[in-house]
Amino acid sequence: MEAPGAISLQLGVNALCALKLRLPLGLPTPSSDPLGGGETYLSRAWTTSPSVPVRVVASVRRLHPLRATMQRAGSMMSRLGSCLQALPSALRRSLSSAQDVLRRTPLYDFHLAHGGKMVAFAGWNLPVQYRDSHVDSHLHTRRHCSLFDVSHMLQTKIFGHDRVKLMESLVVGDIAELKPNQGTLSLFTNEAGGILDDLIVTNTSEGHLYVVSNAGCWEKDLTLMQDKVRELQNMGNDVGLEVMDNALLALQGPTAAQVLQAGVADDLRKLPFMTSAVMEVFGVSGCRVTRCGYTGEDGVEISVLAAEAVRLATALLENPEVKLAGLAARDSLRLEAGLCLYGNDIDEHTTPVEGSLSWTLGAVTSGCPSPCLKKNVAMGYVPYEYSRPGTLLLVEVRRKQQMAMVSKMPFVPTNYYTLK
């Protein structure tokens, strides 16, 4: 893979590894070499979702002193909007130049008015960053909170008496055991056990399942669910599906709950990680607030009527704690937190069971500079027998072999809110 920041692993594969690279920091211009010399090491961790079997995750870190500073990284990454070569490698592979056929979220004009630099992503026109640099947005999210437009995600309702039967026929999660307004991370899988997509399923107290899945798999996921609905209906089952046209806003960061609490009557201390409730938010009624996110920080995703999205976003931005953030920060935040990106770190060739992984790589799956750690980080696959912490490995970087050592993950600790 020739994407900036990537490395090649000339190894058999059956364990997902996150690679923390202490190689020269900052993404390259087209004429520069993104990865220089230096020793590296790998790390590992385990997924914590009860719906996903254990998977080894890891990282690669350079062992000699940094040869560049965060200032260099910041100046290089500030050009993200105009130079796609400067995007994190996992993100770049999802971008397209077909701007004239892209879908727009209800916040498109809002993004432009706030200096959003728009790019193509999974068939949508979305902000990659705003006036602040990628690094500034990333660090603001870790220290305060940021507002992300994730309205491109597919939101669906599954209703009817047999709604749980339908969902459990498609995913690996135990949906029947979810309490009212409790959600879980799960996976759509094919008949060979490959991962079709990752998704969040919430058992709402309103009598339906609320499902959020990836925009890049929109058509595939929708066809999968619709076909199963028709199949069950033809067998006399009571089940139906509705595609929601709501916007979806993600407020993420350590002060997110504090900011949101000022605009809701519900006590957010009673809304732990992966639970959901419908409430009025800053005067906007009928919002579904789910305590979850894709950054590793505490935060919420708010499903709101499309016509009210700008009003809600404007209200949230009135708090100085809140700044807008785009795709670039979202990608580096999720990578630091050890969260997989579908299509890069997992796909139809990946199964939830480690032993079934029989394919090999010539490259890592995701990679970018970590603004928090001031090191390049990435994910890739190594054989399970080489995944023990402390194991020394050789990795190939631009046809040069570098030393690597296995250690633990995630790159930065997660800060999800749970009840004590």
Side-chain angles (χ1 to χ4, degrees), residues 2-31:
E2 294 300 320
I7 68 170
S8 296
L9 300 179
Q10 305 301 320
L11 299 166
V13 178
N14 61 1
L16 177 62
C17 292
L19 312 173
K20 184 182 288 183
L21 304 167
R22 290 192 65 184
L23 296 165
L25 188 64
L27 290 165
T29 59
S31 60

Side-chain angles (χ1 to χ4, degrees), residues 1 4 37 54-55 65 85 126 133 135 194 199 240 250 263 275 280 316 322 327 339 342 348 374 384:
M1 181 176 67
V54 169
R55 178 174 300 286
Q85 286 90 342
L126 295 170
S133 72
V135 171
L199 64 153
T275 61
E280 183 177 290
L316 290 167
V322 184
L327 292 170
L339 301 174
Y342 187 83
E348 293 185 31
K374 300 182 181 180
Y384 181 78

